[in-house]
Amino acid sequence: MIKFGNITLPYGLALAPLAGVSDRAFRRVCRACGADFSVSEMVSAKALCYEQKSKKATRSVTGLLASVHADETPMAVQIFGHEPEFMAEAARLITANDYIGCVSEVPPSAIDINMGCPVKKVTGNGEGSALLKDPALAGRIIEAVVKATHLPVTVKIRAGWDKDSINATEMARVAEASGAAMLCIHGRTREQMYEPGVNRQVIADVKAAVNIPVLGNGDIYTAADALSMIEETGCDGVMIARGAMGNPWIFSEVRAALAGKTYTYPSHTERFEIALAQVREMIEEKGERVGVAEAKKHLAWYCHGIEGAAATRSRIMQASGYAELEKIIREFADQ
Ligand SMILES: Cc1cc2nc3c(=O)[nH]c(=O)nc-3n(C[C@H](O)[C@H](O)[C@H](O)COP(=O)(O)O)c2cc1C
């Protein structure tokens, strides 16, 4: 069990922030499958702040990314940036639940700060994992965000920038001293990007270095991976990213394993019904064109590992609308 702020996570099981993936529809599916916390796609603090100044903005994409519905809490909205003042202002706007493009029913339960994104477009601005190279600035950002919101502030870091500068323990101490309420540590360096080879020792070192709860992250694809992550590192819970894509039931599987039980996956037919409901929700929120385009990768992941998946995946990619997607999926499920 994890407690931070006034949030309790009975199983310590979190869906990771996933740009282009962890939208509301997917977060809801993961919650229904047993995740007890989720994190939004990353939101640019500066973009959110600038959109407030734009007179003609009627529908803000950034605002939509930051919006939270009541039935998906507890969840965090993740922000990224490198300027303490923009990060603080974004946290203030999100906490007040009042910004252009806001369709939130409620503010999020927490604000998460991205200090792990390895993408050049982000690190080139000194944001995401680039902050691992400047713990003092990272600390000022966390302090500024903590001051700007009454919500708990969580921080997601990596092991370090590269193998010669592993400093997650220092970063974790800075985060705790600056007021962070929980940490997630992805046990890879920025240099590793998403290559195999998660350093669980670094996660164990971070856990030993701080008193706030720590989530271990990296390469959890099965319940056995989750249990061994907890056992080997002492982490308080796990955050799952790619292992949940097309397989939100991994959260049920881990819950069962934590209770010493085995989990029986739903039938293919049941799984595809859930997948199609997720697609309908994406379309409702984003419109048919964007919803269908974004749903294709999810449906392809749901097909993974099932006989005939390759041919079905290419049909999915060529489909022109929801009706066609549904037909393809139903035919595949009936096989
Ligand atoms: C498609 C994709 C998008 C991601 N987007 C984010 C993001 O917005 N914010 C973030 O902190 N991490 C992001 N990550 C990193 C994941 O949250 C996670 O730390 C990483 O994938 C390692 O976990 P895994 O091995 O379980 O996939 C992303 C990863 C992927 C694959």
Side-chain angles (χ1 to χ4, degrees), residues 317-329:
M317 292 308 163
Q318 283 158 31
S320 60
Y322 175 76
E324 198 181 341
L325 280 178
E326 185 175 319
K327 185 168 171 283
I328 295 165
I329 290 299

Side-chain angles (χ1 to χ4, degrees), residues 200-201 203-205 225-235:
R200 289 190 171 179
Q201 186 55 50
I203 301 175
D205 293 345
D225 293 338
L227 293 195
S228 64
M229 170 71 89
I230 294 167
E231 201 178 294
E232 285 174 29
T233 68
C235 65

Side-chain angles (χ1 to χ4, degrees), residues 156-240:
K156 184 158 175 282
I157 60 173
R158 281 189 176 233
W161 179 256
D162 60 22
K163 61 180 182 315
D164 300 320
S165 57
I166 294 197
N167 65 344
T169 307
E170 180 192 1
M171 285 291 294
R173 289 203 179 103
V174 166
E176 182 176 42
S178 307
M182 181 170 76
L183 275 177
C184 172
I185 154 94
H186 174 192
R188 288 186 175 87
T189 60
R190 188 270 175 181
E191 187 183 38
Q192 280 179 283
M193 305 293 281
Y194 295 101
E195 280 168 15
V198 169
N199 184 339
R200 289 190 171 179
Q201 186 55 50
V202 176
I203 301 175
D205 293 345
V206 164
K207 171 60 194 163
V210 292
N211 292 311
I212 52 178
V214 172
L215 295 178
N217 168 239
D219 281 357
I220 295 174
Y221 290 97
T222 62
D225 293 338
L227 293 195
S228 64
M229 170 71 89
I230 294 167
E231 201 178 294
E232 285 174 29
T233 68
C235 65
D236 303 283
V238 293
M239 181 174 268
I240 303 178

Side-chain angles (χ1 to χ4, degrees), residues 17-77:
L18 286 161
V21 178
S22 66
D23 61 3
R24 187 173 350 278
F26 188 55
R27 296 196 297 264
R28 279 195 176 130
V29 171
C30 289
R31 291 298 308 282
C33 288
D36 43 20
F37 191 67
S38 65
V39 187
S40 73
E41 301 171 73
M42 61 182 186
V43 173
S44 162
K46 205 167 201 169
L48 188 68
C49 294
Y50 278 1
E51 278 179 7
Q52 308 312 304
K53 298 195 176 99
S54 155
K55 292 209 173 66
K56 51 183 196 317
T58 49
R59 184 174 172 273
S60 139
V61 176
T62 310
L64 188 64
L65 286 180
S67 296
V68 177
H69 285 196
D71 65 358
E72 48 172 348
T73 58
M75 69 159 286
V77 168

